[in-house]
Amino acid sequence: MSLNLLPMANQDLQFQVTRNENAASPEERAQVLENPGFGQHFTDHMVDICWSERGGWHRPRVQPYGPIQLDPAAAVLHYAQEVFEGLKAYRHADGSIWTFRPEANAARMQRSAKRLALPELPTEYFLDSLAQLIAVDGDWVPSQAETSLYLRPFMFAKEAFLGVRPAKKVNYYVIASPAGAYFHGGVTPVSIWLSTTYTRAGHGGMGQAKTGGNYAASLVAQQEAYAHNCAQVLFLDAQEGRYLEELGGMNVVLVKKDGTLITPDSDSILEGITVDSVLTLARDRGHRVEQRPVTIDEWRDGVASGDIVEAFACGTAAVITPIAEIKAADGRGIVMPEVSDRLAMSLRAELTGIQYGRVEDRHGWLHRLDA
Ligand SMILES: *Cc1c(COP(=O)(O)O)cnc(C)c1O
């Protein structure tokens, strides 16, 4: 008798490719790529890999993009056992297609999966899944300035079972969506709503996992933000309600007058790859970087004394977004000073320069997808 409960990590995954008979015509695709927006249009194919407790990862496929058949008792629909990732494919001037630090996304997805009691997808499979999708849908990577193809890997509990335990059947998918320039006509600083009613994650919770549940927890606060004419919401720690955590889906950085960058440290913040890259570029330039607990009072007092001069948010979708103002229910908001030469904008230019192949990739962050 042999019991093999280990994922078959050594076995090469041979993708079976089924072409989409109803793929968009070159004209239809060109029309979408002219003004793609964000997350509204999808490419012709998707990746699908199965996992089962006994068989490990198996049946890797590239198939036509389309609805997924789910049993109404599929565990994800009831207990939210799900994780996801987000990264972009960039077209360089010579036509080649690249992505940015995908090994970091693969590793983060493994950490997220572990927290949600999901199987860990080996890094080689993650990287291969992106290349396989680009091999059939590479023409969907747009080429205008600041555009990209957003890649969305995700994994969820597919087993039909209403008992509460980790699912024994899971599927991993990758879908892709062309993305337009996030900011049209220049980057505009945004207003942020400080949530003092809701938190997104707590000590020992799922804050460090990229999982839909954290987003579900953030939506009502996001609604409050919209009601106050704010683009995003800033969460504080769940325990004391004093320490900065992050926005619903972006990390926060403060900049001091002396050039020091400060980003909050806590075990309930999602470890962003953008913030990590931005802080690395800043260190390269000789800036001091502090990763430590930061209170909302330190931010407010720092702005009042002139010690804190900039604040910005970072994430894959918008890269870097300067923060103009924090609005709060108690009226004790923070208005950031007007700055002509923002460090945020210069770091943004350097990071996007690397991503689009215009600036030297000193750290080996780029990974080619179409070769
Ligand atoms: C994805 C995400 C971020 C940003 O991470 P990047 O790797 O920089 O895109 C920040 N916070 C949350 C909650 C996220 O889900």
Side-chain angles (χ1 to χ4, degrees):
M1 189 181 84
S2 85
L3 261 182
N4 180 12
L5 300 180
L6 294 172
M8 298 183 290
N10 296 327
Q11 183 186 314
D12 261 352
L13 283 192
Q14 274 289 338
F15 278 78
Q16 182 201 330
V17 180
T18 309
R19 287 276 176 170
N20 187 342
E21 302 287 325
N22 299 308
S25 69
E27 294 74 27
E28 287 165 338
R29 189 171 60 232
Q31 200 175 358
V32 169
L33 294 187
E34 219 166 275
N35 189 13
F38 184 83
Q40 307 163 46
H41 302 280
F42 300 91
T43 64
D44 298 312
H45 299 86
M46 63 190 200
V47 164
D48 178 358
I49 311 179
C50 302
W51 179 90
S52 66
E53 193 179 63
R54 283 197 72 85
W57 293 104
H58 62 277
R59 211 153 68 117
R61 282 169 292 176
V62 174
Q63 59 189 48
Y65 181 93
I68 296 171
Q69 273 228 340
L70 274 188
D71 191 288
V76 67
L77 299 177
H78 306 273
Y79 309 126
Q81 197 190 1
E82 183 266 0
V83 299
F84 69 96
E85 269 304 324
L87 66 172
K88 288 172 167 175
Y90 307 91
R91 194 178 292 283
H92 286 190
D94 65 359
S96 58
I97 300 171
W98 302 74
T99 190
F100 184 75
R101 303 186 68 183
E103 306 83 1
N105 294 91
R108 185 170 67 189
M109 193 171 204
Q110 290 156 7
R111 296 197 300 274
S112 300
K114 209 168 178 171
R115 178 63 184 82
L116 276 283
L118 283 163
E120 294 174 48
L121 184 77
T123 301
E124 319 88 85
Y125 296 0
F126 182 91
L127 299 180
D128 199 19
S129 71
L130 305 181
Q132 292 284 341
L133 191 58
I134 290 299
V136 290
D137 282 341
D139 288 343
W140 283 94
V141 182
S143 50
Q144 304 98 296
E146 297 258 324
T147 62
S148 61
L149 182 65
Y150 184 78
L151 303 170
R152 168 54 62 88
F154 60 105
M155 183 195 296
F156 64 81
K158 211 175 198 179
E159 184 185 359
F161 177 59
L162 290 184
V164 179
R165 58 146 170 76
K168 296 180 179 181
K169 274 192 189 150
V170 169
N171 275 55
Y172 165 84
Y173 297 90
V174 188
I175 57 173
S177 172
Y182 198 88
F183 295 100
H184 293 277
V187 176
T188 353
V190 294
S191 296
I192 307 277
W193 177 251
L194 178 68
S195 179
T196 44
T197 310
Y198 305 104
T199 58
R200 71 174 276 285
H203 179 62
M206 306 194 295
Q208 284 182 314
K210 207 168 177 73
T211 177
N214 290 332
Y215 281 76
S218 76
L219 295 178
V220 63
Q222 183 70 43
Q223 236 167 9
E224 227 178 62
Y226 291 146
H228 291 89
N229 286 318
C230 291
Q232 286 280 342
V233 58
L234 170 68
F235 290 102
L236 299 175
D237 75 284
Q239 205 132 355
E240 297 186 46
R242 296 197 303 137
Y243 294 96
L244 304 184
E245 290 266 309
E246 59 171 316
L247 309 186
M250 295 175 95
N251 299 108
V252 171
V253 178
L254 306 179
V255 184
K256 288 171 72 169
K257 192 172 53 190
D258 69 2
T260 304
L261 288 88
I262 309 171
T263 197
D265 187 28
S266 114
D267 66 357
S268 43
I269 295 177
L270 187 107
E271 295 170 277
I273 295 158
T274 312
V275 71
D276 182 72
S277 309
V278 164
L279 295 180
T280 300
L281 295 180
R283 273 192 211 98
D284 290 351
R285 294 184 187 189
H287 288 268
R288 257 175 65 110
V289 170
E290 296 174 5
Q291 228 156 341
R292 59 168 172 84
V294 193
T295 64
I296 188 73
D297 289 336
E298 178 180 351
W299 185 350
R300 192 183 290 109
D301 296 346
V303 170
S305 71
D307 200 34
I308 292 175
V309 292
E310 279 184 60
F312 60 87
C314 340
T316 295
V319 193
I320 287 184
T321 309
I323 296 173
E325 183 183 4
I326 299 290
K327 293 189 196 177
D330 64 3
R332 298 176 68 219
I334 304 171
V335 178
M336 297 306 296
E338 296 277 342
V339 192
S340 49
D341 259 334
R342 287 180 194 275
L343 178 64
M345 293 314 295
S346 130
L347 287 169
R348 186 180 204 282
E350 185 175 356
L351 182 58
T352 54
I354 294 169
Q355 290 168 334
Y356 288 92
R358 301 183 299 256
V359 169
E360 192 206 340
D361 176 23
R362 296 189 301 274
H363 295 280
W365 282 340
L366 294 184
H367 175 97
R368 188 155 182 186
L369 285 177
D370 66 334

